Amino acid sequence: MATKSRSEWGPLLFSFVAIGIAVISIAYCSPHIIDVIESGWERSTRAIAYFTRIIRGGTA
């Protein structure tokens, strides 16, 4: 038995509005997101180098 929605355009319109808001917010925050990724990458490589020195027996 199939059920039919009362309004087929309402939920579709709200979905497009939500997707639009998400795209705008990602575009607005993208410089900060890129900055966080870059600084995280630098910290990750420093941490990996630190643990590699510890494992090899060097001074930390």
Side-chain angles (χ1 to χ4, degrees), residues 21-51:
I21 291 171
V23 168
I24 290 170
S25 66
I26 289 172
Y28 180 74
C29 296
S30 63
H32 178 67
I33 293 169
I34 291 171
D35 185 43
V36 167
I37 291 171
E38 287 176 352
S39 65
W41 182 259
E42 292 173 9
R43 283 185 276 143
S44 297
T45 54
R46 280 188 281 162
I48 291 169
Y50 176 77
F51 288 124

